[in-house]
Amino acid sequence: MIRTSSRLLRLVSLLSARPEWTCRELAERMAVTDRTVRRDIARLRDLGYGVDSAPGPWGGYRLSPGSRVPPLVLDDEEALAVAVALREAALSGILGTGQAALAALLTLRQSLPHACRTG
């Protein structure tokens, strides 16, 4: 069974990927019951995430517009692509001084695979 924290991160990732999900769709994707999805939605709301819902069997869940930015979940290749883009933005000065891009790159570097960090 997946731990609650991992499940919540997965749920936020799913909610971010599509405009709206039914409870059943989320339950199937996460291999849990509808009840677990409803509990996890309540946990996300307790954590400050804006999750809107529509009642009924065909109702669904979605992240509220303007709600807090969810954690960014990237696989190794996506993280490397973002790191390369941030490096280029910092070096080219396209964003002004490049300080924001450099700061983001240094933050992202901590989560890159070891081979990418040392290269």
Side-chain angles (χ1 to χ4, degrees), residues 38-106:
R38 288 190 298 273
R39 286 180 176 174
D40 287 350
I41 292 290
R43 285 184 179 104
L44 288 178
R45 288 174 174 152
D46 289 343
L47 290 170
Y49 288 92
V51 181
D52 293 332
S53 59
W58 300 110
Y61 295 104
R62 66 180 175 279
L63 287 177
S64 303
S67 64
R68 199 169 90 184
V69 175
L72 185 59
V73 181
L74 302 171
D75 65 24
D76 290 351
E77 289 180 359
E78 292 169 332
L80 183 57
V82 171
V84 169
L86 287 169
R87 181 178 180 273
E88 289 303 310
L91 292 175
S92 71
I94 196 167
L95 300 174
T97 65
Q99 291 296 92
L102 185 58
L105 179 58
L106 291 173

Side-chain angles (χ1 to χ4, degrees), residues 7-23 25-26 29-30 37 40-42 44-45 49-53 60-64 67 70:
R7 224 180 34 244
L8 291 178
L9 286 172
R10 175 80 172 127
L11 181 55
V12 168
S13 177
L14 287 171
L15 289 170
S16 299
R18 228 171 74 181
E20 189 163 317
W21 293 83
T22 66
C23 186
E25 290 171 325
L26 289 169
R29 276 293 181 97
M30 295 174 33
V37 170
D40 287 350
I41 292 290
L44 288 178
R45 288 174 174 152
Y49 288 92
V51 181
D52 293 332
S53 59
Y61 295 104
R62 66 180 175 279
L63 287 177
S64 303
S67 64

Side-chain angles (χ1 to χ4, degrees), residues 86 100-112:
L86 287 169
L102 185 58
L105 179 58
L106 291 173
T107 301
L108 179 62
R109 186 177 187 273
Q110 297 170 13
S111 63
L112 288 173

